Amino acid sequence: MSTMPPATRLDLVAENAELRARLAEAEDMLRAIRRGQIDALVMQSDTGSRVYTRQGVDSASNRTRDEMLEIISDAVIAVDGDRRVTYVNPAARQLFSLDASAALGKPASEIPELRLLNGLIDENFISNGEWHGEVVDRGRDSQRRHLEATLMARQNDCAGSAGILATFRDISDRKRAEEELRENEEFNRSLMDGSPDCVMVLVVDGRVLRMNGPGLCLMEIDDFGPLCGQEWSALWPPAARLDIERAVAAALAGDTYAFPAFCPTAKG
């Protein structure tokens, strides 16, 4: 049996009830902070009251973010859960010839310049993730543009409705360079195969990269695969190694070097 006075037990019960109430209040406050429902907190201490605001931290963070988005070269467009345009950076305005003042707040589907964005959202975007790929678009000048696009789901701080952040990067110059490289390779390949001589392409360290069809026949090579990447000098007898080294060094220096030498075929 407890020897504690009844009044003391009642005080403890009341104190425990007060602690539970304060704990429940603190848990409710934490949940509200996570949901963005609290803009400021007043904290009492021995030195007095201090006010902590989410706005100060969020404003600085948002200001830094907006400043970065304003100067990057990638086009950035944000839409909310109703697909209304909420943000367009200068690169996006230039890329899509877009009037930001007329676009902000309007549904993206009503903006002709954003037909590409609407199509990507309808065809490729999944709400629980992101989409990344390359697309072709035609601007007002009807010129084809190759764009690298990324769509990401974003959660609005207060409304809680899911929006989408879209970024676009113009990779037309890179695509043109890749196409020119492919055309040059095809042209060089056609020149190589059109020659009746054995023609090889070496990398700068003297390894074999390619051999034309007539050369494969001339050297009795049925499968070029095992040969690719081997040292060119390994195809010659040891007596020709010095000339091989001189030939590679001359080629790297932009000069030519000719030499006669015996070279057996792959089948001897």
Side-chain angles (χ1 to χ4, degrees):
M1 178 178 296
S2 173
T3 59
M4 185 177 295
T8 304
R9 289 200 300 270
L10 291 176
D11 291 340
L12 287 176
V13 171
E15 185 178 351
N16 288 337
E18 183 182 357
L19 289 174
R20 292 192 186 96
R22 291 169 60 185
L23 180 59
E25 182 181 358
E27 291 176 345
D28 291 340
M29 186 179 298
L30 287 174
R31 282 193 291 268
I33 291 174
R34 294 190 187 103
R35 295 170 182 165
Q37 296 171 339
I38 289 181
D39 296 323
L41 292 175
V42 179
M43 305 296 292
Q44 300 289 347
S45 65
D46 296 337
T47 59
S49 302
R50 293 191 63 181
V51 179
Y52 296 87
T53 64
R54 293 180 64 252
Q55 183 178 0
V57 177
D58 290 349
S59 297
S61 176
N62 292 339
R63 184 165 57 249
T64 301
R65 178 200 62 191
D66 292 343
E67 290 172 353
M68 292 176 61
L69 293 177
E70 289 292 309
I71 62 174
I72 64 175
S73 58
D74 289 353
V76 181
I77 302 173
V79 298
D80 61 16
D82 297 324
R83 294 197 189 179
R84 294 182 180 274
V85 178
T86 59
Y87 179 79
V88 180
N89 76 335
R93 296 197 289 269
Q94 180 178 358
L95 181 63
F96 295 105
S97 301
L98 187 62
D99 183 357
S101 59
L104 291 176
K106 290 185 60 177
S109 58
E110 298 180 5
I111 304 174
E113 292 85 354
L114 297 183
R115 62 188 182 280
L116 173 64
L117 174 61
N118 291 307
L120 291 177
I121 294 175
D122 292 335
E123 297 173 10
N124 301 307
F125 186 70
I126 53 178
S127 60
N128 61 344
E130 66 179 54
W131 179 86
H132 180 80
E134 295 181 5
V135 293
V136 177
D137 182 47
R138 289 187 181 273
R140 287 183 175 180
D141 54 4
S142 298
Q143 295 293 323
R144 284 166 51 92
R145 298 177 300 187
H146 291 268
L147 304 178
E148 190 176 64
T150 300
L151 303 182
M152 296 182 295
R154 58 187 296 268
Q155 197 76 13
N156 292 340
D157 293 336
C158 298
S161 58
I164 298 174
L165 184 70
T167 61
F168 298 90
R169 176 175 298 176
D170 193 340
I171 56 173
S172 300
D173 291 341
R174 190 186 78 190
K175 285 295 183 179
R176 281 192 290 268
E178 292 174 352
E179 182 63 25
E180 291 176 359
L181 179 60
R182 284 193 295 269
E183 291 177 353
N184 289 336
E185 289 180 345
E186 293 175 359
F187 178 71
N188 291 336
R189 189 176 296 109
S190 66
L191 287 180
M192 288 178 60
D193 290 338
S195 172
D197 299 325
C198 177
V199 181
M200 294 185 184
V201 176
L202 311 180
V203 292
V204 293
D205 59 359
R207 289 179 293 112
V208 179
L209 179 64
R210 186 180 303 159
M211 181 183 292
N212 66 343
L216 294 174
C217 294
L218 183 65
M219 299 303 297
E220 297 186 311
I221 298 174
D222 297 327
D223 182 10
F224 179 70
L227 180 65
C228 184
Q230 287 193 24
E231 296 286 342
W232 184 43
S233 59
L235 306 181
W236 296 81
R241 294 295 173 86
L242 182 58
D243 283 320
I244 297 297
E245 293 174 0
R246 290 174 177 173
V248 173
L252 292 176
D255 203 352
T256 59
Y257 184 88
F259 64 94
F262 169 79
C263 183
T265 67
K267 298 180 180 179

